[in-house]
Amino acid sequence: MSKNPSQDDNEVFQSYDFLKKFKRLRLIEPYVGVLGFFFVTVCVIFCFCYLDYRAVEKGYRVPGKSERFKWLKVDGALMVDNTRVEFLSENGSGCDLFDGDWVWDEKYPLYQSKDCRFLDEGFRCTENGRPDLFYTKWRWQPKHCNLPRFDPKLMLEKLRNKRLVFAGDSIGRNQWESLLCMLSSVVPNKDSIYEVNGSPITKHKGFLVFKFKDYNCTVEYYRAPFLVLQSRPPAGSSEKIKTTLKVDQMDWNSWKWKDADVLVFNTGHWWNYEKTIRGGCYFQEGAEVKIEMKVEHAYRRSIETVVKWIHNEVNTSKTQVFFRTFAPVHFRGGDWRTGGSCHVETLPELGTSLVPPETWVQFKMVTDVLSANKRTWKFDVLNVTYMTAQRKDGHSSLYYMGPKASPAPIHRQDCSHWCLPGVPDSWNELLYALFLKRKTTHALNTSTYSSQA
């Protein structure tokens, strides 16, 4: 017997209603999946951001050529390494200070620009509006030894009654002003530090001598971008020759340098076509102007002249001499004339990709000359080129025109000079370590001689 028609209709309507609900569920299902995927993605991104923040907070290490990211303990302290020795110890003598990594250290910087009266406006990046401070937090860590912590009071005591002289270009001035700030940070009475001729700190030709009255010592800067003598051309020279660089004679101020107790040389940034031949500056040896001499050859000859001068004119038993190698520039998309930039750089480079190839040509030229004279040289080399090549983040970029005029136009960036505090402080920490090492070694040798006597 057949079912009641109304009952059959109800069953059909119930089945149809279920199918409609099922279809609606299938239509919603993709949206549920998308929402789920979006939620998971947000969680993953959040985790990465959190870990990245913790990485910077705890200390991020910029690796060497063949290393990858490594994590450090808080305050930049390295993971325990039983093979690392103290540089100032007897076992530290064989350590290469310039083979190392940049490590994050919350104890840095060593001073604040606003607290230092001895800085050009062009180096005061923070006061000129630079928004980030990451570039001030990196410390140089040699791979096989520990540098002594910079102690300005100790260095001033070691410099008591002495002269420390920087001679070179404006990057040398950058380093000189850095050291003035590092040393003055522990002097309560800033008026006891003054320029002996009353000259203000400002970019100009000539020299500046700052005296630390309480220690009767001076920290001096002599502008000599080529280190060798730039002068008028010989009589009868071609009209295109405006000046000459006498690559076989030292700068005329060199007589003021040679009796210093510590002497720091640098040169390099002016040794290019733009700063020499293009402007009518040619090269001279003896009485002859070498019209065909290339910049590279002239640069080599000048370094040979400097090395010879140190050997013949400087009493290196009294004067500790340093030669600092070239500090690379980091222009991206051009150079200083063609709109090159570096203002977006806020972290060190893992490699040296922004460094122009001519940097390494110049670096090899210097090292070849120094290596050829290694048996007879009487100076220390501050080999900062590779470590500085990684610091694309440390330049003045847009923030060099003073607090009122900065930032500079986007096409007029300074990717040669350095913000202070910043990278030149690390050069001075290396200078300090080598300065103390000589004092320590001398004291040890004197003690050994006395005991034998």
Side-chain angles (χ1 to χ4, degrees):
M1 194 172 176
S2 63
K3 292 183 180 179
N4 188 313
S6 62
Q7 184 178 355
D8 290 340
D9 290 341
N10 286 337
E11 288 180 359
V12 169
F13 283 125
Q14 287 176 2
S15 299
Y16 180 69
D17 187 53
F18 173 77
L19 288 173
K20 286 199 297 183
K21 289 180 180 180
F22 181 74
K23 285 180 181 180
R24 283 200 299 270
L25 182 63
R26 292 295 299 273
L27 288 173
I28 294 172
E29 190 177 64
Y31 295 100
V32 173
V34 169
L35 289 172
F37 177 77
F38 177 76
F39 178 75
V40 171
T41 302
V42 169
C43 290
V44 170
I45 292 172
F46 174 80
C47 289
F48 273 117
C49 291
Y50 176 74
L51 289 172
D52 187 57
Y53 168 77
R54 293 294 298 266
V56 172
E57 183 184 49
K58 291 186 176 181
Y60 166 73
R61 179 178 179 182
V62 176
K65 294 179 180 178
S66 61
E67 295 180 277
R68 306 303 291 174
F69 294 97
K70 294 185 178 178
W71 302 100
L72 308 178
K73 292 183 178 180
V74 178
D75 296 329
L78 288 167
M79 303 299 285
V80 176
D81 185 345
N82 295 325
T83 64
R84 186 172 288 119
V85 298
E86 298 302 318
F87 177 68
L88 295 183
S89 69
E90 291 185 55
N91 295 331
S93 299
C95 177
D96 182 359
L97 295 183
F98 311 102
D99 179 20
D101 304 294
W102 290 101
V103 299
W104 182 271
D105 194 329
E106 283 292 344
K107 295 177 182 177
Y108 278 60
L110 299 174
Y111 60 91
Q112 298 292 338
S113 61
K114 63 183 177 60
D115 299 326
C116 182
R117 295 163 46 185
F118 314 107
L119 281 184
D120 274 296
E121 276 193 344
F123 303 148
R124 298 177 178 271
C125 299
T126 299
E127 293 164 83
N128 293 340
R130 179 165 175 169
D132 69 298
L133 292 173
F134 285 155
Y135 68 95
T136 69
K137 293 292 185 180
W138 300 98
R139 171 174 60 82
W140 181 251
Q141 173 62 61
K143 289 181 181 177
H144 303 297
C145 62
N146 292 317
L147 289 170
R149 177 80 177 180
F150 184 80
D151 184 341
K153 285 187 178 179
L154 177 59
M155 188 165 190
L156 283 169
E157 281 296 342
K158 297 290 184 183
L159 290 173
R160 185 178 290 277
N161 303 319
K162 291 180 169 58
R163 296 174 61 212
L164 190 160
V165 169
F166 288 85
D169 56 29
S170 57
I171 310 300
R173 181 192 179 97
N174 222 167
Q175 184 180 3
W176 169 68
E177 292 189 22
S178 159
L179 187 62
L180 282 177
C181 290
M182 292 167 76
L183 293 174
S184 65
S185 65
V186 293
V187 179
N189 180 14
K190 298 298 189 285
D191 291 334
S192 68
I193 308 169
Y194 55 89
E195 208 286 321
V196 296
N197 297 308
S199 301
I201 283 229
T202 183
K203 294 181 180 178
H204 71 291
K205 295 182 179 180
F207 61 92
L208 292 165
V209 178
F210 274 80
K211 185 169 185 176
F212 286 72
K213 183 178 179 181
D214 295 341
Y215 297 89
N216 192 36
C217 70
T218 56
V219 182
E220 310 170 26
Y221 166 74
Y222 292 83
R223 184 181 181 275
F226 298 104
L227 294 181
V228 293
L229 183 61
Q230 186 172 21
S231 66
R232 296 176 181 175
S237 297
S238 168
E239 289 186 2
K240 71 177 182 179
I241 304 174
K242 309 300 182 185
T243 59
T244 65
L245 281 171
K246 296 182 177 180
V247 295
D248 55 354
Q249 294 185 41
M250 289 293 286
D251 185 274
W252 71 277
N253 264 325
S254 60
W255 66 274
K256 297 179 182 179
W257 312 337
K258 69 177 187 178
D259 292 325
D261 297 279
V262 182
L263 177 56
V264 185
F265 286 118
N266 93 283
T267 187
H269 282 268
W270 284 55
W271 285 100
N272 56 63
Y273 179 82
E274 299 295 329
K275 296 282 190 180
T276 56
I277 296 172
R278 183 180 179 128
C281 180
Y282 288 81
F283 311 111
Q284 181 177 343
E285 284 189 284
E288 182 183 359
V289 179
K290 305 281 189 176
I291 294 290
E292 302 302 322
M293 183 179 281
K294 294 183 177 180
V295 176
E296 295 78 11
H297 185 204
Y299 182 53
R300 177 187 288 272
R301 285 289 293 114
S302 72
I303 299 300
E304 291 171 347
T305 297
V306 172
V307 172
K308 182 179 178 181
W309 180 82
I310 294 170
H311 183 77
N312 294 335
E313 300 292 332
V314 179
N315 178 8
T316 51
S317 62
K318 171 187 181 292
T319 303
Q320 187 174 5
V321 183
F322 296 88
F323 186 93
R324 179 178 61 72
T325 60
F326 184 74
V329 300
H330 293 91
F331 289 97
R332 184 191 294 273
D335 57 24
W336 63 277
R337 294 175 298 108
T338 59
S341 67
C342 56
H343 67 292
V344 298
E345 309 296 348
T346 57
L347 292 172
E349 177 71 66
L350 298 183
T352 55
S353 59
L354 291 184
V355 176
E358 53 266 28
T359 293
W360 305 113
V361 174
Q362 190 180 73
F363 177 67
K364 185 178 186 304
M365 200 175 302
V366 172
T367 54
D368 285 348
V369 172
L370 298 182
S371 297
N373 294 273
K374 191 170 185 178
R375 292 185 179 181
T376 57
W377 78 24
K378 300 177 180 179
F379 55 89
D380 290 298
V381 177
L382 285 174
N383 186 7
V384 304
T385 303
Y386 179 71
M387 62 181 282
T388 308
Q390 299 178 336
R391 294 304 308 275
K392 61 185 173 66
D393 58 313
H395 293 288
S396 304
S397 63
L398 299 171
Y399 308 102
Y400 64 89
M401 297 181 68
K404 294 182 179 179
S406 293
I410 200 78
H411 62 280
R412 291 185 55 198
Q413 299 196 29
D414 184 351
C415 303
S416 300
H417 296 93
W418 303 89
C419 296
L420 292 177
V423 173
D425 302 336
S426 296
W427 305 343
N428 284 325
E429 288 183 284
L430 294 168
L431 173 70
Y432 172 73
L434 290 168
F435 172 69
L436 287 188
K437 187 69 173 179
R438 171 159 162 165
K439 298 290 183 185
T440 304
T441 303
H442 178 73
L444 181 63
N445 291 341
T446 302
S447 175
T448 302
Y449 176 79
S450 300
S451 64
Q452 289 176 346

